[in-house]
């Protein structure tokens, strides 16, 4: 008798409402074994499952832990899907670069959630349409360096070149060079426009590096 093993899914989401909704949606599928991890210990537990469905922060933590395990010779790692409202270019690029195989935005349909988990379980990737568009759009933009991000953050707070130089402990000429590079990469004509473009692309929300 051929019995197909059910896909083990762990739901670790910071929002109780989203957590319950995800679990209820996925539990309707007979081929999925769903476990809801308590938020307090979700990121700390050893994820012995096939797919992790998590909010952004938890997903980043899990990916960091899984990366450490893979280098130390652990078994097959679970695949990670992010479910979040964070749709900025940097957020998405950061998550996919770190190893997230799925990325859905809050408000997507139940069918999309199920399709995403099923795709990840098969070894494929799954991105929300809006996320795919962001990824494609980001490919045509030059990436900012870490120091350029630092300068941009200071610019967004209204700091002038001299203040930025003092805060970051760099030369004034270096700041001017970074500002020029930022304007060029963001295709902006002024500092104000650069900040607006950066905010629109989600480049100012660098919580995880």
């Amino acid at each position: 008798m051929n019995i197909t093993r059910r896909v083990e899914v762990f739901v670790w989401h910071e929002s109780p409402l989203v957590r319950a909704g995800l679990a209820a949606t996925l539990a309707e599928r007979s081929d999925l074994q769903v476990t809801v991890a308590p938020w307090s210990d979700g990121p700390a537990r050893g994820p012995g499952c096939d797919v992790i469905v998590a909010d952004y922060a938890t997903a980043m933590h899990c990916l960091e832990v899984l990366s450490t395990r893979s280098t130390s010779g652990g078994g097959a790692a679970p695949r990670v899907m992010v479910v979040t409202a964070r749709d900025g270019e940097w957020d998405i690029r950061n998550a996919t670069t770190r190893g997230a195989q799925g990325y859905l935005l809050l408000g997507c349909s139940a069918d999309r959630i199920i399709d995403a988990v099923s795709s990840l379980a098969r070894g494929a990737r799954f991105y929300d349409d809006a996320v795919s568009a962001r990824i494609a759009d980001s490919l045509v933009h030059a990436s900012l360096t870490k120091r350029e991000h630092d300068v941009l953050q200071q610019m967004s707070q209204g700091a002038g070149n001299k203040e930025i130089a003092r805060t970051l402990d760099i030369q004034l000429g270096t700041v001017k060079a970074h500002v020029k590079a930022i304007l060029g990469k963001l295709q902006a004509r002024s500092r104000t426009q650069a900040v607006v473009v950066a905010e629109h692309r989600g480049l100012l929300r660098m919580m995880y590096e």
Side-chain angles (χ1 to χ4, degrees), residues 189-200:
R189 294 186 297 275
S190 66
R191 297 164 73 102
T192 299
Q193 185 182 14
V195 171
V196 171
V197 172
E199 177 61 35
H200 176 71

Side-chain angles (χ1 to χ4, degrees), residues 87-154:
D87 62 350
E89 177 185 323
W90 190 91
D91 295 319
I92 295 169
R93 180 182 290 181
N94 180 53
T96 53
T97 299
R98 283 174 173 263
Q101 293 90 358
Y103 202 111
L104 291 179
L105 299 179
L106 288 174
C108 65
S109 68
D111 287 342
R112 294 287 284 177
I113 294 170
I114 292 173
D115 288 345
V117 170
S118 298
S119 294
L120 264 65
R122 294 195 302 270
R125 295 176 179 270
F126 194 101
Y127 302 127
D128 193 294
D129 291 341
V131 172
S132 296
R134 280 284 197 188
I135 293 173
D137 189 48
S138 72
L139 295 177
V140 303
H141 296 133
S143 299
L144 299 181
T145 66
K146 174 62 172 64
R147 181 56 82 183
E148 287 167 356
H149 271 292
D150 294 339
V151 172
L152 179 60
Q153 291 282 7
Q154 293 296 315

Side-chain angles (χ1 to χ4, degrees), residues 18-207:
V18 174
R19 191 163 63 235
L22 288 170
T25 296
L26 296 171
E28 293 180 0
R29 288 287 297 262
S30 60
D31 57 338
L32 302 179
Q33 176 66 48
V34 182
T35 299
V36 180
W39 168 241
S40 59
D41 69 301
R45 289 178 51 182
C49 60
D50 300 301
V51 179
I52 296 172
V53 180
D55 60 272
Y56 195 94
T58 306
M60 296 305 100
H61 182 89
C62 287
L63 288 169
E64 182 179 355
V65 172
L66 293 174
S67 175
T68 301
R69 289 181 179 176
S70 64
T71 59
S72 61
R79 297 172 68 79
V80 178
M81 182 173 76
V82 182
V83 179
T84 181
R86 298 175 63 159
D87 62 350
E89 177 185 323
W90 190 91
D91 295 319
I92 295 169
R93 180 182 290 181
N94 180 53
T96 53
T97 299
R98 283 174 173 263
Q101 293 90 358
Y103 202 111
L104 291 179
L105 299 179
L106 288 174
C108 65
S109 68
D111 287 342
R112 294 287 284 177
I113 294 170
I114 292 173
D115 288 345
V117 170
S118 298
S119 294
L120 264 65
R122 294 195 302 270
R125 295 176 179 270
F126 194 101
Y127 302 127
D128 193 294
D129 291 341
V131 172
S132 296
R134 280 284 197 188
I135 293 173
D137 189 48
S138 72
L139 295 177
V140 303
H141 296 133
S143 299
L144 299 181
T145 66
K146 174 62 172 64
R147 181 56 82 183
E148 287 167 356
H149 271 292
D150 294 339
V151 172
L152 179 60
Q153 291 282 7
Q154 293 296 315
M155 289 168 54
S156 71
Q157 297 169 23
N161 289 350
K162 291 183 179 179
E163 184 179 351
I164 294 174
R166 287 195 301 270
T167 301
L168 301 180
D169 193 24
I170 56 179
Q171 296 295 318
L172 180 60
T174 303
V175 173
K176 293 179 179 179
H178 285 318
V179 171
K180 182 178 180 180
I182 291 168
L183 296 180
K185 289 181 177 181
L186 298 185
Q187 299 180 340
R189 294 186 297 275
S190 66
R191 297 164 73 102
T192 299
Q193 185 182 14
V195 171
V196 171
V197 172
E199 177 61 35
H200 176 71
R201 287 172 53 185
L203 298 178
L204 297 178
R205 297 193 296 273
M206 290 185 62
M207 297 179 61

